Amino acid sequence: MSLTCELSGEPIATSKETIVATPSGRICIKRILLQKLTENGGMDPFETIRERPLSEDQLIELKINNTVVPPRPQATSLPNLLSLIQNEYDALVLELFETRKALEDTRRELSQALYQNDAAVRVVARLAMEKDAIQHELERWNASVGAASKETNDEPESKRRKVVVDTPLSNDLPEKDLAEMVDTWKRLHSQRKPMLKAASANAPPRETVASYTKTTTKNWHKSTCRNVLCMASHGDLLATAADDKQVVVYSSEDEIVKFTISTKGIPSCVDIYESLVVVGDNKGHVVVCSSNDGSTLGEITLNDTQMVNCKVHPTTKHICIVRSDGQVLVCALGEGKLSIVTEFKGDQPVEYTCGAVHPDGLLYAAGTSTGEIHMWDFKNRNLASTMKDGDDSVTTISFSDNGYHLATGHASAKVRFWDLRKQEIIATMNGDGSLLQSISSISYDPSGKYAAFGGKGGLVVTTVKDWGTTLKIEVDNPVSGIGWTKRGLATCSEREQVISFYGSS
């Protein structure tokens, strides 16, 4: 039997090196063993269960007869040589198997480490975003407190005790505000046909919309968010409001979050139009910000009456607010503040449940709990008409950019499409509730060719004038908001943090 080094596997009989034995009975080449002891800090390399120090003094030098041993008899014939080669090959294959197994374990550990690192990066990014939002809110609060303190100190004592409150008009509009709305109506009315023509040219064909699938999801709200409550869109911008008391404005073209707005209460409505973003919360606080950088342009706090919706008027100088007590408020934006200029209210008590501004700005539609739709005429300062079909409450309402189509969702899950020129229904969808079990959001695309509505059961897209089901996507949680982008659709849902994007794959 030939001896081999326990560390290197070299034959000892043919070696001219000094051979030593360890206290544990292992035989090694002294030079290699000493090198190993230097690497592992003087610990016995053969003691794997419990560490034991080993020094050169403990080694026992062995005298080996270096006479060359003749080859084994079994290696002198060709069959025996082939058998030896086969055994070596088997040993090599087994060693390769163990090596591959170790490689797979290493890959698994590396994958887990990369996943943990990615999660840590996401958490740090979210915390940084929350910190920036808090700093922004603190700076805004400090600025408002400082300005208020300065105004109070600069005023004479006689004026400090005198508080002047501007009383808003009732079912009327100041001439200045009305003139701005009429000028905007003239401009938009003249531009409507070329704008719709351009939007229609860029709109996808029906076959493309019918093939929409989920392309990606985004998660930009806080980790404490449980529900994304509503969504608004304009151009490539999306605004989402959630129960984490934040409104996030996202650019779908650049695929970045532009800024975040913090609210005092849980936001109940949000709208975005051209240069403005308006947000209303459950505490009656309304804040208007710039859609470019999120800076605050004006804010107002209403009474305890529930605010149903808030919309940016096409003048971008006014905000329309509808409340559950049956009032439509028109607020003017100027000099860093938001002030009520008029209140529109009918003679009979009514509960408003939703509202929308006409694309040209002179009409406001308010849905009621009894199924009526009140059309307020800002130019003539009166309730122009009332439309109704059924007694089920109106849950959501939306104007088409073509100016003469109106869509309403109802508590019965019906979706009705109206022609404002004739003030009659031109189509009804989901009458039997086979598509969706509830309707919480409706939105026309910029061209007016498609209308999307969502709620419990998923998302449905219909083609205008055809009124068939062009696309239906089923989702687990009720859809709470819909927005159109240049690449397709975006939705948010209750009991979810993520924003889902749909388009062509």
Side-chain angles (χ1 to χ4, degrees):
M1 182 181 67
S2 61
L3 300 178
T4 58
C5 177
E6 294 281 352
L7 290 175
S8 64
E10 298 179 18
I12 292 177
T14 59
S15 176
K16 297 181 179 180
E17 300 280 352
T18 303
I19 309 303
V20 294
T22 66
S24 59
R26 307 285 182 166
I27 299 176
C28 303
I29 297 175
K30 183 177 181 181
R31 173 180 57 81
I32 298 176
L33 179 58
L34 293 178
Q35 183 178 354
K36 183 64 177 178
L37 293 176
T38 303
E39 292 177 357
N40 65 6
M43 305 305 293
D44 191 339
F46 303 107
E47 292 291 341
T48 57
I49 298 179
R50 92 184 152 176
E51 295 182 350
R52 178 182 296 177
L54 179 63
S55 63
E56 185 177 357
D57 298 337
Q58 296 175 288
L59 302 179
I60 302 172
E61 186 174 339
L62 301 178
K63 300 296 183 180
I64 303 297
N65 185 5
N66 292 332
T67 304
V68 178
V69 179
R72 290 174 292 180
Q74 63 267 27
T76 56
S77 63
L78 184 58
N80 290 337
L81 285 174
L82 292 176
S83 177
L84 290 175
I85 293 173
Q86 181 66 47
N87 293 336
E88 292 293 335
Y89 174 77
D90 293 343
L92 182 61
V93 169
L94 292 175
E95 184 179 358
L96 180 60
F97 171 76
E98 295 296 333
T99 303
R100 287 177 176 173
K101 185 178 179 182
L103 177 61
E104 186 65 26
D105 293 340
T106 304
R107 284 179 175 173
R108 188 179 300 107
E109 293 176 1
L110 178 60
S111 175
Q112 292 177 352
L114 291 175
Y115 176 80
Q116 293 174 355
N117 179 72
D118 182 65
V121 170
R122 290 176 180 270
V123 171
V124 171
R126 183 177 288 111
L127 291 175
M129 185 177 66
E130 294 176 7
K131 178 183 71 71
D132 293 340
I134 293 173
Q135 287 181 344
H136 176 74
E137 184 70 19
L138 182 61
E139 291 173 359
R140 187 177 69 178
W141 185 82
N142 288 336
S144 62
V145 171
S149 176
K150 182 178 179 181
E151 291 177 1
T152 303
N153 293 333
D154 291 344
E155 289 180 351
E157 183 67 24
S158 58
K159 289 188 177 181
R160 290 186 201 173
R161 297 176 182 175
K162 187 177 181 179
V163 180
V164 179
V165 179
D166 295 331
T167 303
L169 300 175
S170 179
N171 292 4
D172 199 356
L173 271 174
E175 293 300 329
K176 175 186 175 183
D177 298 281
L178 181 57
E180 291 175 343
M181 291 185 180
V182 172
D183 291 342
T184 300
W185 172 80
K186 291 179 180 179
R187 174 175 58 84
L188 294 177
H189 188 73
S190 63
Q191 296 174 355
R192 180 186 298 165
K193 287 186 177 180
M195 288 176 61
L196 285 175
K197 186 176 181 180
S200 180
N202 295 326
R206 178 179 176 180
E207 293 75 14
T208 302
V209 175
S211 65
Y212 278 0
T213 57
K214 183 182 290 188
T215 56
T216 185
T217 58
K218 300 288 185 180
N219 184 357
W220 51 60
H221 281 279
K222 291 181 180 180
S223 58
T224 56
C225 171
R226 293 295 177 267
N227 298 277
V228 182
L229 303 171
C230 49
M231 171 186 288
S233 64
H234 181 76
D236 70 319
L237 296 182
L238 288 174
T240 58
D243 58 6
D244 59 355
K245 298 183 180 181
Q246 282 197 336
V247 174
V248 178
V249 176
Y250 175 82
S251 172
S252 60
E253 184 173 353
D254 299 330
E255 296 186 351
I256 59 171
V257 173
K258 294 192 65 176
F259 56 86
T260 300
I261 303 171
S262 298
T263 59
K264 294 182 179 179
I266 297 176
S268 57
C269 50
V270 63
D271 189 35
I272 183 169
Y273 181 82
E274 292 187 354
S275 61
L276 298 182
V277 180
V278 59
V279 184
D281 61 34
N282 61 348
K283 294 185 177 180
H285 186 68
V286 181
V287 59
V288 182
C289 301
S290 167
S291 63
N292 296 320
D293 54 11
S295 58
T296 302
L297 303 178
E299 53 188 324
I300 190 173
T301 300
L302 307 176
N303 58 25
D304 295 335
T305 304
Q306 183 180 1
M307 179 168 39
V308 174
N309 207 341
C310 56
K311 295 288 184 181
V312 178
H313 192 275
T315 61
T316 65
K317 297 179 181 178
H318 299 87
I319 303 298
C320 297
I321 303 171
V322 61
R323 303 194 302 185
S324 60
D325 61 354
Q327 289 190 21
V328 176
L329 308 180
V330 178
C331 302
L333 182 64
E335 300 179 357
K337 64 179 182 178
L338 190 64
S339 55
I340 301 174
V341 295
T342 189
E343 300 174 350
F344 287 94
K345 189 173 183 179
D347 297 331
Q348 301 298 324
V350 67
E351 179 185 357
Y352 283 154
T353 55
C354 55
V357 182
H358 189 274
D360 289 344
L362 287 183
L363 291 177
Y364 189 91
T368 70
S369 59
T370 57
E372 293 181 339
I373 303 167
H374 290 182
M375 300 296 298
W376 288 96
D377 186 343
F378 290 159
K379 183 178 181 180
N380 296 315
R381 306 174 176 93
N382 63 359
L383 182 61
S385 63
T386 299
M387 301 184 298
K388 183 177 181 179
D389 182 63
D391 298 326
D392 50 337
S393 174
V394 184
T395 57
T396 181
I397 192 167
S398 177
F399 281 101
S400 170
D401 282 346
N402 63 23
Y404 52 83
H405 280 165
L406 176 73
T408 58
H410 298 262
S412 63
K414 292 181 180 179
V415 179
R416 297 185 174 101
F417 297 93
W418 303 76
D419 189 330
L420 297 178
R421 297 167 296 186
K422 302 177 182 178
Q423 295 192 16
E424 63 181 26
I425 296 175
I426 54 177
T428 299
M429 293 188 66
N430 199 42
D432 56 357
S434 59
L435 294 175
L436 302 176
Q437 289 77 56
S438 67
I439 305 296
S440 56
S441 180
I442 294 182
S443 178
Y444 282 93
D445 81 308
S447 68
K449 293 177 62 176
Y450 305 103
F453 54 92
K456 186 177 181 181
L459 170 71
V460 176
V461 179
T462 183
T463 304
V464 174
K465 296 182 180 180
D466 176 65
W467 308 118
T469 303
T470 303
L471 171 70
K472 183 178 186 302
I473 299 175
E474 296 183 356
V475 297
D476 296 333
N477 296 313
V479 174
S480 57
I482 302 173
W484 290 88
T485 68
K486 295 180 180 179
R487 301 176 184 177
L489 278 165
T491 65
C492 59
S493 299
E494 300 175 11
R495 301 190 294 275
E496 281 187 6
Q497 289 182 330
V498 299
I499 312 299
S500 300
F501 289 83
Y502 300 90
S504 301
S505 55

